[in-house]
Amino acid sequence: MEGYDVVTIDDEKVGKVVGTHGDHLIVEQGTIRKSKHALPRTFTEVDDGEKVVRMTIGKDLFCDSPKVNGEVDEAAIADYYGLAGGSVAPPTEGYGETVSDDPAVGSETQAESDGVTPAMQERAQAREQMGGETDQGVPAESPALLGDRYEHTKD
């Protein structure tokens, strides 16, 4: 696979494969100021006929990844890409076996780090904007739980 071009899904060339390290391809990028980055095989599709490796992630995400200068820091790379390989026991770990390309972060944690408002908070804000529970015809106390259900009916 060494020497294969690495391209995005849109066929934009990113670099060339110059080696491998475990579950990562080492990709050299740039023409004058060259840098090397490790790309997890999880995010690649290899086309041996065309001698091309297609990334399933964006170019910006790849270009901003940790650089490889000699030794590959697999934990830092896994952490950057959000893979479980960099964690001893990721929060997403269930009862099965954790493999290196499992997600290390749940959707709620990822949304929080991206600045997305949690769903529970959005619902609370919507209730406040609607005027609260008493304005919506819902009694402050529930007669079904705290009193006689049929208090207002005739015998």
Side-chain angles (χ1 to χ4, degrees), residues 69-119:
N69 296 321
E71 198 164 316
V72 177
D73 186 356
E74 291 188 24
I77 294 164
D79 188 45
Y80 174 80
Y81 285 109
L83 301 174
S87 303
V88 176
T92 57
E93 185 174 47
Y95 293 109
E97 181 181 333
T98 301
V99 293
S100 64
D101 60 352
D102 281 345
V105 179
S107 60
E108 295 87 6
T109 306
Q110 183 64 42
E112 186 178 308
S113 68
D114 290 343
V116 176
T117 307

Side-chain angles (χ1 to χ4, degrees), residues 3-126:
Y4 282 28
D5 286 334
V6 179
V7 297
T8 64
I9 262 321
D10 302 324
D11 284 330
E12 183 179 355
K13 186 175 176 181
V14 176
K16 281 193 175 289
V17 177
V18 293
T20 60
H21 185 275
D23 287 338
H24 301 88
L25 300 177
I26 307 302
V27 179
E28 188 173 66
Q29 166 191 33
T31 52
I32 297 172
R33 294 185 50 172
K34 296 184 178 192
S35 61
K36 294 180 184 175
H37 299 267
L39 176 64
R41 291 181 194 246
T42 303
F43 303 120
T44 63
E45 295 174 5
V46 180
D47 185 346
D48 289 317
E50 293 184 29
K51 295 189 176 188
V52 168
V53 175
R54 283 187 173 70
M55 299 188 316
T56 59
I57 58 173
K59 182 179 178 181
D60 292 338
L61 181 65
F62 172 75
C63 293
D64 292 339
S65 68
K67 293 182 178 163
V68 174
N69 296 321
E71 198 164 316
V72 177
D73 186 356
E74 291 188 24
I77 294 164
D79 188 45
Y80 174 80
Y81 285 109
L83 301 174
S87 303
V88 176
T92 57
E93 185 174 47
Y95 293 109
E97 181 181 333
T98 301
V99 293
S100 64
D101 60 352
D102 281 345
V105 179
S107 60
E108 295 87 6
T109 306
Q110 183 64 42
E112 186 178 308
S113 68
D114 290 343
V116 176
T117 307
M120 287 180 61
Q121 186 177 350
E122 283 182 352
R123 287 192 294 271
Q125 289 171 348

Side-chain angles (χ1 to χ4, degrees), residues 139-151:
E141 294 183 357
S142 171
L145 296 175
L146 304 173
D148 184 11
R149 271 184 205 218
Y150 304 105
E151 177 178 301

